[in-house]
Amino acid sequence: MMKCTKNIVGKISDRDIVAYNIKYDNKFEVEILNLGGIITKIITPDKDNNFENVVVGYKEIESYIENPSYLGAIIGRTSGRICEGNVTIDGRLYSLSKNYNPHHGHGGNFGFNKKIWEVNIIEEKDNITLRLYTISQDKEENYPGNLDIIVSFKVYEDFKIEQTYECKCDKTTLVNLTNHSYFNLSGNIKLPITKQYLKIDSDYILELDKTCAVTGKSINVKDTPFDFKDIKSIGKDIDCDNEQIKIGNGYDHTFLLNKNGKIHLEDRVSKRVLDIITDQKSVVVYSMNFPDDIELYNGKKAQKRFGICFETQAPPIGREMCFIKYSTLNKGEVYKQKTVYKFSKNKSNIKNYLILSSFFILSNIVSNSV
């Protein structure tokens, strides 16, 4: 059995903030707001079958209105930074807000994280889908074109969430969407993520300059703090003497993913596991290096490195507009993206990878045949 309930939990500009809660009989629970498509809860079991929240969230709903850390939110029109906020699209220069001084970041001052989305609930035999829809008007945050956006969260009973994105615009524009959930598999934010273990199927990261803009160069991860090809604790090299680590104050870097790139996170105390697979070219890994000062649902204020983001996306736009082609959506074309999250407490990580990979490939075959 499964059920989806909705509750009005607040207001913003006379519009209701609604929490949509999906819960299965096995106690798997996911809660998402119509404000910013923000994920406030993902409740999963530990080794002793204790069910706890594995994402970082605020105590008060009102805190999500400003949400300076973008907790759990949909990020757009573009995720990551755009170097100095200047881009040329169809031969015309657009100056975007420099809200990440001196760069444009996470869609600007009023990004998709601040929108109230329309939400439809779709119940199927083995899942419940929340289908979120909004429009980004022409010249919103100075991006060209009227952009129609659909973001869907398909929640399965077997602790799996499939997030898909689809956009279409009446002008050539930029689109690079992602989700900004901070994961912590210890449950209810008990321990820092430095004690958790990470594996990323990536051979290269993108180099950052001292302003955190992508330079266009890549760095081989071998023999660097960014080598997660073999699983290791996140804290092992996070404070080492490395120029890139110093620039980010930890991990705040774009990892270029190999084909069918996978990300694996595990907590060896709770035995919780998260496997992520995406069709995107990269993932920005952010280790919560600059927490805000707002109270969280566990009654404490955020602490450095008590959450980790896996922002699956196209490479961000850097110096001399490098990588802009990966964020360019031509008039009439359709932008599509898919990222799947699978939670478990399985001891067989290889088995989890195989199951998730098979599901992802099969889903693509089905969607492409429709």
Side-chain angles (χ1 to χ4, degrees):
M1 288 287 292
M2 56 189 178
K3 64 178 180 179
C4 181
T5 58
K6 59 180 184 178
N7 295 291
I8 297 173
V9 293
K11 281 188 177 293
I12 178 172
S13 302
D14 296 322
R15 297 190 67 183
D16 290 336
I17 301 173
V18 181
Y20 293 81
N21 184 280
I22 296 170
K23 192 169 185 179
Y24 286 90
D25 280 352
N26 64 1
K27 298 183 181 179
F28 181 40
E29 183 179 348
V30 177
E31 187 169 273
I32 296 171
L33 304 181
N34 64 341
L35 169 62
I38 293 168
I39 298 173
T40 60
K41 294 179 184 176
I42 301 178
I43 308 294
T44 71
D46 68 2
K47 67 183 189 305
D48 299 316
N49 227 30
N50 296 310
F51 282 77
E52 296 171 310
N53 200 351
V54 295
V55 291
V56 178
Y58 294 126
K59 181 178 181 179
E60 305 295 339
I61 288 295
E62 290 73 20
S63 300
Y64 289 108
I65 295 173
E66 288 303 319
N67 197 2
S69 294
Y70 301 88
L71 296 189
I74 297 169
I75 304 298
R77 285 187 192 190
T78 54
S79 49
R81 296 173 180 85
I82 294 179
C83 183
E84 296 181 355
N86 295 318
V87 287
T88 300
I89 305 169
D90 270 355
R92 180 178 173 182
L93 177 65
Y94 290 86
S95 292
L96 309 176
S97 59
K98 295 177 175 57
N99 59 311
Y100 267 44
N101 187 34
H103 309 302
H104 177 80
H106 283 2
N109 294 309
F110 190 87
F112 293 178
N113 59 300
K114 293 186 179 295
K115 284 181 172 290
I116 295 289
W117 295 64
E118 296 178 21
V119 182
N120 289 322
I121 304 169
I122 303 167
E123 295 192 23
E124 298 178 307
K125 184 178 180 180
D126 64 344
N127 66 78
I128 294 178
T129 298
L130 298 181
R131 185 178 183 269
L132 281 64
Y133 172 76
T134 194
I135 297 175
S136 178
Q137 301 287 346
D138 184 32
K139 299 299 176 62
E140 185 175 293
E141 289 293 324
N142 209 31
Y143 286 96
N146 296 294
L147 184 72
D148 289 285
I149 314 110
I150 297 171
V151 179
S152 296
F153 299 87
K154 184 175 286 190
V155 182
Y156 292 83
E157 185 177 14
D158 63 345
F159 303 96
K160 182 169 62 211
I161 303 170
E162 177 184 336
Q163 187 172 14
T164 57
Y165 308 75
E166 187 170 319
C167 302
K168 194 172 183 179
C169 196
D170 59 4
K171 294 181 181 178
T172 297
T173 190
L174 299 178
V175 179
N176 187 13
L177 304 183
T178 196
N179 176 271
H180 210 276
S181 291
Y182 291 74
F183 294 100
N184 186 322
L185 299 185
S186 69
N188 293 348
I189 331 173
K190 289 194 296 293
L191 297 168
I193 52 89
T194 49
K195 297 182 180 298
Q196 292 167 37
Y197 287 75
L198 179 63
K199 182 176 182 180
I200 305 176
D201 187 12
S202 171
D203 295 300
Y204 295 91
I205 63 163
L206 296 181
E207 180 187 66
L208 298 179
D209 67 17
K210 291 184 178 180
T211 69
C212 288
V214 168
T215 66
K217 298 178 181 179
S218 59
I219 299 172
N220 194 311
V221 301
K222 186 176 175 58
D223 298 324
T224 77
F226 301 91
D227 189 352
F228 286 96
K229 288 184 68 73
D230 293 321
I231 194 166
K232 70 176 181 181
S233 71
I234 295 169
K236 181 180 179 182
D237 299 315
I238 200 168
D239 290 313
C240 71
D241 186 15
N242 174 276
E243 183 64 22
Q244 287 294 303
I245 287 287
K246 290 178 181 177
I247 288 172
N249 196 31
Y251 295 113
D252 190 7
H253 295 75
T254 304
F255 288 72
L256 300 178
L257 294 170
N258 295 324
K259 188 176 180 180
N260 293 325
K262 302 181 186 73
I263 302 148
H264 173 88
L265 180 69
E266 64 181 60
D267 179 75
R268 294 183 177 178
V269 177
S270 72
K271 302 297 184 186
R272 289 186 178 95
V273 172
L274 168 60
D275 287 302
I276 303 173
I277 191 166
T278 183
D279 59 9
Q280 294 299 281
K281 293 182 178 297
S282 62
V283 59
V284 173
V285 176
Y286 174 60
S287 54
M288 202 171 187
N289 308 318
F290 300 97
D292 59 48
D293 196 37
I294 302 174
E295 188 176 7
L296 303 177
Y297 60 73
N298 65 356
K300 300 177 181 179
K301 292 187 177 180
Q303 298 179 55
K304 186 177 180 181
R305 295 172 186 156
F306 266 68
I308 187 165
C309 288
F310 301 107
E311 303 164 51
T312 55
Q313 59 179 83
I317 300 168
R319 294 286 170 191
E320 299 180 356
M321 294 191 296
C322 61
F323 305 116
I324 191 172
K325 66 179 181 179
Y326 298 118
S327 294
T328 300
L329 180 66
N330 293 315
K331 177 182 177 180
E333 290 182 348
V334 177
Y335 168 94
K336 290 186 177 182
Q337 200 231 99
K338 180 189 293 184
T339 298
V340 180
Y341 307 87
K342 180 68 169 70
F343 300 89
S344 69
K345 50 179 180 176
N346 236 331
K347 293 181 180 179
S348 174
N349 299 333
I350 295 175
K351 181 180 178 182
N352 286 338
Y353 273 138
L354 291 174
I355 291 172
L356 189 58
S357 298
S358 298
F359 171 81
F360 191 80
I361 293 167
L362 181 60
S363 296
N364 279 335
I365 291 171
V366 171
S367 63
N368 289 335
S369 65
V370 173

